[in-house]
């Protein structure tokens, strides 16, 4: 029986590793200049956003999560910190001139998203 328990534990470990490190949310390719981002249930939707270098984009956040965790979004690379009042729409305007990956998120980084600029 022990071998079965071992196999199950190993499979579980593999699954957990895959879940946390391998699975990446679908990349949202921004072809429009306004990107709507829903803030609910602990995730930004979309959370992985591909934007064109040098192009002005508006990230339009709509916070539906009453939890205090969701009330701020920060873009540390750009010194941006914005409050998100509940059930309101807040625009964050960005033009990123350098290629790369930039993270954004709440104060504790529980809500987390990424901008992929290329
Ligand atoms: Cu948080």
């Amino acid at each position: 029986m022990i071998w079965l328990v071992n196999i199950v534990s190993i499979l579980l470990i593999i699954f957990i590793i895959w879940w946390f490190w391998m699975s990446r949310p679908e990349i949202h390719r921004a072809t429009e200049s306004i990107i709507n981002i829903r803030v609910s249930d602990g995730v930004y939707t979309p959370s992985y956003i591909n934007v064109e270098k040098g192009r002005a984009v508006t990230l339009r956040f709509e916070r539906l999560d009453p939890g205090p965790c969701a009330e701020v979004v920060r873009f540390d690379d750009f010194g941006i910190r914005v409050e998100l009042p509940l059930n309101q729409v807040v625009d964050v305007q960005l033009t990123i001139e350098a290629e790369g990956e930039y993270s954004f998120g709440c104060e504790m980084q529980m809500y987390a998203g990424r901008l992929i600029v290329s």
Side-chain angles (χ1 to χ4, degrees), residues 16-87:
I16 289 167
I17 289 171
W18 173 81
W19 182 262
F20 282 100
W21 284 280
M22 306 302 179
S23 76
R24 296 208 135 184
E26 224 177 276
I27 295 181
H28 177 88
R29 284 191 190 284
T31 49
E32 66 283 18
S33 55
I34 298 173
I35 301 143
N36 294 300
I37 301 173
R38 201 175 64 233
V39 183
S40 66
D41 303 322
V43 285
Y44 297 121
T45 311
S47 62
Y48 226 66
I49 302 160
N50 185 221
V51 298
E52 223 176 283
K53 178 174 77 171
R55 176 182 173 150
V57 287
T58 299
L59 304 176
R60 181 158 287 170
F61 287 91
E62 186 181 14
R63 174 186 166 205
L64 304 172
D65 178 354
C69 188
E71 73 192 3
V72 164
V73 62
R74 281 171 36 180
F75 294 77
D76 289 343
D77 295 304
F78 310 105
I80 295 173
R81 182 186 180 281
V82 177
E83 308 241 340
L84 304 175
L86 188 58
N87 297 320

Side-chain angles (χ1 to χ4, degrees), residues 44 67-72 105-112:
Y44 297 121
C69 188
E71 73 192 3
V72 164
C106 71
E107 297 281 16
M108 321 91 182
Q109 294 300 311
M110 284 170 322
Y111 272 95

